Amino acid sequence: MQLPKLTPLQSRFAASFAASLLLLILYLAFSNPHFAYAENADTITHDDHNHPLILDRSLEDEVQYQDENDAATDWARTYEPEFPSMGRSILGRAPAPLTVQLANNMPAVMSIAPSDTQCFIFPQTSLDQPPSLVTQALPPSQDEIYTGHVIDDQDMGYTGSELRRRQGSDHVLYLTLSVCGQPSSAISNPSGPPPPLELYISQAIDDECPGPNFGGQQGWLTADGGFTNYTNPTSGDSYFTVSAPKAQGFNGNYTYELTASIDAPFTYYEELPGLFFVDSDQNSSFFITNNLTTSNSSTQQDAWMRTGAPFTMFMHDANDIMITGLLRSYCGLNTSAQIRTMADVEVGMTTIAGGLPKQQYYVKGLNKTTPYHAVMALPSNYTQTGIGVPGGGGVVWQDILMTTKTGENLCSAPMLHARSLSSIDPNCQLIYNLSFCDTVNYAVPANPTNKSLATMVELAAFYDNYTSNNFNYFAYSLEQIPCNTTAEAQYSLATNCSNCYDAYKQWLCAVTIPRCMDFSSTEPYLQARNVNQSFIDGSPFPVGDPTFSEANKSVMYLNSSRVPWIDKTIKPGPYKELLPCIGLCYGLVQNCPAALGFACPLAGKGQNHSYGYVMNNSLTCNMPGAIWGVNGASGYDPSTVSVWIGLLLAMVVSITGV
């Protein structure tokens, strides 16, 4: 086919176009411009597609998992811009730290240096998982239902704009931060623990690593006492940052567990004491919980009695102020508390003080004259514990403070002493688990040099047997009263022989088994006893102390114990007694037949030296089995303590749907 003939104008245009195209090809061949190359990467989505995604698995070495498959699903990631001609002022903020992906009920166990930050994400895909199926470990309880605390402005501080909750979602996210270890003090007497870790939370896509150095919509919490938690309805990805503040004067890193769950808090802190301090001697102490159930059902009560004492406890010397940085953390106490295993703790279930199930603790191996933090704890809400189990990280209750007895016989009074103030007479010994006087769980007059009664078991049996034998005489007398007869023929329409039986037993145990206190104590409601006997170590009486005057040695309530056989058999030496409550005597007179001849001493005529009085709901007199308050503190309502059992069980119900 013949080509068309070009006009002169078309010929000139074609020549110019061909020359221009040739010049462009030569330029491209020799100028070496920067082309963008496609790069294969793992499919991790991100909202910013302008920068190449650099994947880094090095952070996995810092995260500990029990399941390697779970570890394989966690990725560390960051952005790296490649615009060498532009400064940070143009590009924006510096790249965020590496981000760890959290899985449901799988704690990330991390180590962080002071002034460092670590970032986390809990993705939407984890929110959409079905709830975990677990079996509750505790029997049911009749208490109010825990539905989860929704965090509000009073729970959180804010930086930047307010953290906005997402609406219209049925998902509740439970996030817990527990400090397991903290930097050590660089000095011998620190003024306090290192500053607490901070937890930052965000649900904004453009704020994937919230924190003090990153803006955006975020809220923050501090892990005071080693613990903090965040509970909130949510949808979509959630972002968190753990920030360690500067820790001047301390060496080392923090270690912690950060756990996200759609089921329940993995760990929990209850702002009510779980324990009541009952009494102590120099080297041991006795604690009891409040009622573990409020149910009158014998089935539920029996179920609690068969649990095998599910609660544990921690104790630590309160003089070590560093422990205050971990008192709310289960893993922190489980790592650092001086008493953190049950090797020095005897536990059991009991129904003393009201007849409902409780757990009791007898703790050994303590130091004399030492204040201790005592903390009740539960390893798990369920039959399983640990990684992957909702609530498997443990529950901690508010600590209480108690102090062991000194064993010192002399107080620091301005007088000349014939014996040293450091002289020790450990003549008060804690006993419990008595067969007859089953409500006795306090220190009693003792003598460690008496080899036949040297152990707690031997001493307890000695007191219990003596009291039981004396009670038999009363029982014979009560049998002479027509108890099993018509109401009209009974000795009282208001009470009966069963009430008399119980009242006499309670009174007899209190007066036959005195509650022993340090002789050095100066509390005005204590009564000095047995001042005629020598001190156990053989030291002479202090010169100038009016308690040991010649006149007092002839006063019966001072020169002997309430029960003479204590002085003859045990020989405890001088001690002070917490007198039985006068209400025990009144109860005996009110409930027993007048024919038995019971009467109480009158005020000013022997009563003040025989019985004590309840003052401000405090431990100022002895009533075996009564729970006064934490370490004698007044104004505390023990009936509120049983609420925490209901809280735990309700969380189980919300998970299992039972």
Side-chain angles (χ1 to χ4, degrees), residues 452-640:
S452 63
L453 301 174
T455 69
M456 188 272 290
V457 175
E458 293 169 339
L459 186 64
F462 186 79
Y463 274 104
D464 202 39
N465 293 337
Y466 179 86
T467 308
S468 177
N469 291 335
N470 279 273
F471 183 84
N472 291 333
Y473 300 122
F474 162 78
Y476 298 149
S477 299
L478 189 61
E479 290 177 356
Q480 310 307 312
I481 304 298
C483 295
N484 299 321
T485 184
T486 62
E488 292 80 5
Q490 289 185 1
Y491 66 89
S492 173
L493 296 177
T495 186
N496 54 46
C497 290
S498 295
N499 293 335
C500 176
Y501 183 98
D502 294 338
Y504 186 84
K505 177 183 176 181
Q506 189 177 25
W507 170 84
L508 183 65
C509 290
V511 298
T512 309
I513 309 179
R515 187 160 184 166
C516 182
M517 307 294 285
D518 283 325
F519 196 84
S520 60
S521 177
T522 58
E523 297 293 347
Y525 49 81
L526 299 181
Q527 178 63 60
R529 299 290 193 193
N530 206 19
V531 298
N532 273 359
Q533 281 195 359
S534 301
F535 292 108
I536 293 176
D537 63 359
S539 300
F541 298 128
V543 177
D545 190 335
T547 305
F548 298 94
S549 66
E550 290 300 322
N552 282 346
K553 290 183 179 181
S554 62
V555 178
M556 181 173 294
Y557 65 80
L558 289 172
N559 65 19
S560 62
S561 296
R562 180 188 294 271
V563 182
W565 67 268
I566 294 178
D567 301 335
K568 295 177 181 178
T569 306
I570 299 177
K571 300 179 181 179
Y575 65 94
K576 287 188 177 179
E577 178 189 355
L578 181 66
L579 298 174
C581 295
I582 185 62
L584 295 174
C585 186
Y586 291 155
L588 175 63
V589 174
Q590 292 168 357
N591 285 284
C592 290
L596 295 178
F598 293 129
C600 298
L602 300 177
K605 295 184 178 181
Q607 186 182 105
N608 297 345
H609 303 297
S610 300
Y611 294 96
Y613 310 90
V614 176
M615 295 186 293
N616 299 321
N617 195 31
S618 298
L619 188 64
T620 54
C621 64
N622 182 32
M623 183 176 291
I627 301 177
W628 290 105
V630 181
N631 205 13
S634 61
Y636 185 77
D637 181 8
S639 64
T640 61

Side-chain angles (χ1 to χ4, degrees), residues 23-98:
L23 289 174
L24 178 62
I25 294 173
L26 292 175
Y27 171 78
L28 295 176
F30 294 102
S31 62
N32 190 26
H34 291 281
F35 283 139
Y37 294 92
E39 177 177 338
N40 292 328
D42 292 61
T43 57
I44 297 181
T45 59
H46 202 279
D47 299 296
D48 189 344
H49 304 286
N50 296 321
H51 305 154
L53 185 64
I54 302 216
L55 302 178
D56 184 356
R57 296 179 180 268
S58 61
L59 191 62
E60 289 185 4
D61 293 337
E62 300 181 20
V63 187
Q64 301 176 20
Y65 298 89
Q66 290 189 353
D67 191 336
E68 294 182 358
N69 294 329
D70 293 311
T73 62
D74 285 357
W75 294 83
R77 58 182 182 174
T78 187
Y79 290 102
E80 183 60 36
E82 295 185 358
F83 296 95
S85 60
M86 298 184 182
R88 283 293 173 192
S89 60
I90 300 177
L91 293 177
R93 70 186 188 189
L98 304 176

Side-chain angles (χ1 to χ4, degrees), residues 179 189 195 204 242 256 332 366 389 410 446 484 508 512 526 533 642:
V179 180
N189 295 309
V242 174
Y256 66 90
L366 305 179
V389 179
L410 304 177
N484 299 321
L508 183 65
T512 309
L526 299 181
Q533 281 195 359
S642 59

Side-chain angles (χ1 to χ4, degrees), residues 63-65 74 100 102 106-110 120 256-259:
V63 187
Q64 301 176 20
Y65 298 89
D74 285 357
V100 177
L102 298 176
M106 299 294 294
V109 183
M110 307 290 292
F120 303 83
Y256 66 90
E257 292 179 354
L258 184 68
T259 314

